[in-house]
Amino acid sequence: ADVPAPRGPRCAAATADEDETDDEADVEGDALANEELISTLEKASVTEEELQAKRALGDTTQVELAQAFDVYRGAARRGAILHFTSQRLSIIEHAYQGSLTVFRAALLHAIRQTPTASGEALDARVLRLRDVITHRVFFTVARGLFPRHLLLYATQLALAIAQKEGGLPAAHAILLVGGTYRDGDTVDAAPRPPATATAWLSDVAWRDVCSLSAASPTFGALPASIKHDADAWRAWAEHARPEAEQTPTGGGLAPLSSFERLLVLRALRPERIAFACSGWAAGVLRLQLDANIGLEWTLEVASPHVPVFFLASASQRNSVADTVARHGEKYGKSEAKGKLMIVSMGQGQQAAAERALHLMHGKGGWCVLENLELLANWLLALVSILETLHEGAHKDFRVFLS
């Protein structure tokens, strides 16, 4: 009977050796005279060198990418903080509904505004990019807030950044927001102020000082410092702007950071805490909270697909059209030139509004629709109209709603 040929690695190796022997047998004379073989070996050698060079380049590129990711991670973290903090504003006011599309537009606008400078190191560019992103996103959100909520938003954002990037203890952030008061605390149960400070330190303030001392080791020496250096603490507490001054350090109290001074201020001068938070938040965010964010700034991010919405009080209704018309003059958009149409909404004005939208859509003009609250039932139709106007819009087309 025929015996089947053995299978496996040993057989495969033997077969390869036989093939090689056959190839060698086919070569007649000196192997160096076989030009085709020599050419093939030379090409194989070059190919191997190229592969090794590309492999080395790939390893180097992988390391460089990993390092770049680490550098850019700080900017990415800042972007996440900005987004999620703005999303939580709806807890304060239901009208504050965030949009990922608007956030993305603000983010991309900030990136376009931050080109790489000649010879600029990557670390420096990322830091500059982080500041520009913070500035752009903050004011994009802030322009839609009621004034009374601006400081609250800035403080929330600064606290989140300080905790994630600056190492601010969460316990200290809670002390600023919630204070040191606990259920059952009473002024009568608290120790009395030291005799050297009774002339200027109230029982409530001393209770808060003692509670702050017990709540965090950072302030453990605060009561002793006030007792030891009462005159210096009185001068600080009675200063017109104590938040701008360094706190005394007598009695074993170490120098306090700007945030730690906020907690002491909350205990001794609580009426100054809003001013102090404003300055501290501005320092963390590296921007001015009272900067002008009027229509000129808003027009930088407006587009044919992003209307500008004014939420005006009754006393400001007439000023919306005047504001748009005044800024329109700078861009060549006026009623005299046929590039500005203002429609005051009311019963029967739907058709006039639609005509104005379509006319300005084609001419690249500005269309202002005022008093939309008078036609609440028409708003869904307006949304559909604006969606259809996305296609083929002139680049200068803008819509203003109030």
Side-chain angles (χ1 to χ4, degrees):
D2 294 336
V3 178
R7 303 288 181 181
R10 187 183 300 276
C11 180
T15 304
D17 290 341
E18 293 174 359
D19 294 342
E20 185 177 353
T21 302
D22 293 341
D23 290 341
E24 292 175 353
D26 292 339
V27 179
E28 297 180 359
D30 189 0
L32 297 177
N34 191 332
E35 295 181 359
E36 182 180 357
L37 177 60
I38 294 174
S39 176
T40 301
L41 292 175
E42 288 177 347
K43 290 180 180 178
S45 177
V46 172
T47 302
E48 178 64 20
E49 292 176 357
E50 290 177 350
L51 288 175
Q52 290 179 357
K54 290 180 179 180
R55 189 179 298 114
L57 178 61
D59 293 340
T60 303
T61 303
Q62 185 175 4
V63 172
E64 292 175 350
L65 285 174
Q67 293 173 346
F69 281 142
D70 288 338
V71 175
Y72 276 104
R73 188 170 285 115
R77 184 189 302 111
R78 176 65 63 86
I81 294 172
L82 290 165
H83 174 65
F84 289 111
T85 303
S86 63
Q87 290 298 305
R88 288 194 293 268
L89 286 173
S90 58
I91 300 174
I92 303 172
E93 171 61 54
H94 181 69
Y96 299 154
Q97 298 296 325
S99 168
L100 184 58
T101 301
V102 174
F103 176 82
R104 181 175 180 274
L107 196 67
L108 293 177
H109 186 82
I111 294 174
R112 287 192 298 268
Q113 278 192 323
T114 319
T116 303
S118 177
E120 184 179 30
L122 181 59
D123 291 353
R125 165 168 168 73
V126 171
L127 290 176
R128 190 162 58 91
L129 183 62
R130 187 189 65 183
D131 289 342
V132 175
I133 289 175
T134 302
H135 181 275
R136 172 59 58 177
V137 174
F138 176 83
F139 285 114
T140 297
V141 175
R143 66 186 177 179
L145 302 181
F146 292 113
R148 65 179 181 272
H149 293 149
L150 179 60
L151 178 58
L152 183 58
Y153 169 54
T155 304
Q156 283 185 333
L157 185 56
L159 284 173
I161 292 174
Q163 290 184 76
K164 296 294 185 181
E165 300 178 4
L168 175 68
H172 284 189
I174 293 173
L175 286 174
L176 177 67
V177 176
T180 58
Y181 176 80
R182 299 292 180 268
D183 292 340
D185 288 354
T186 62
V187 176
D188 294 336
R192 292 292 179 263
T196 54
T198 53
W200 60 274
L201 189 60
S202 67
D203 291 349
V204 174
W206 181 247
R207 179 203 65 186
D208 291 342
V209 166
C210 294
S211 298
L212 184 61
S213 172
S216 173
T218 304
F219 306 98
L222 180 60
S225 178
I226 293 178
K227 293 178 182 178
H228 177 269
D229 205 355
D231 292 338
W233 275 102
R234 179 175 186 174
W236 181 85
E238 294 181 349
H239 194 279
R241 297 179 64 246
E243 65 275 7
E245 302 294 322
Q246 290 290 339
T247 51
T249 56
L253 182 66
L256 300 178
S257 68
S258 58
F259 184 83
E260 290 165 350
R261 290 201 301 272
L262 287 180
L263 300 182
V264 177
L265 191 71
R266 197 182 196 282
L268 298 180
R269 291 284 302 275
E271 80 282 359
R272 296 293 307 176
I273 196 63
F275 300 98
C277 282
S278 178
W280 175 77
V284 172
L285 301 176
R286 297 169 63 89
L287 50 80
Q288 291 183 341
L289 300 185
D290 57 351
N292 182 19
I293 51 175
L295 184 58
E296 190 73 35
W297 191 90
T298 304
L299 287 173
E300 293 183 10
V301 293
S303 72
H305 315 303
V306 181
V308 178
F309 188 83
F310 293 85
L311 185 61
S313 63
S315 61
Q316 295 175 323
R317 287 178 179 174
N318 294 331
S319 65
V320 172
D322 295 340
T323 300
V324 174
R326 185 170 62 254
H327 282 80
E329 293 288 346
K330 303 176 184 178
Y331 297 89
K333 312 297 182 183
S334 65
E335 291 180 304
K337 296 179 180 179
K339 292 295 187 72
L340 174 65
M341 294 189 70
I342 301 173
V343 181
S344 183
M345 302 306 296
Q347 193 65 30
Q349 293 299 309
Q350 299 94 321
E354 292 183 23
R355 285 195 301 270
L357 286 169
H358 284 92
L359 185 60
M360 295 297 100
H361 173 267
K363 297 175 63 176
W366 290 6
C367 181
V368 182
L369 304 183
E370 296 185 294
N371 306 325
L372 287 177
E373 74 281 0
L374 300 179
L375 289 176
N377 295 333
W378 181 69
L379 293 182
L380 290 179
L382 175 61
V383 172
S384 299
I385 294 171
L386 293 176
E387 289 177 350
T388 60
L389 293 178
H390 286 182
E391 298 296 333
H394 192 284
K395 64 180 181 65
D396 295 332
F397 174 57
R398 298 291 184 273
V399 177
F400 301 88
L401 310 174
S402 75

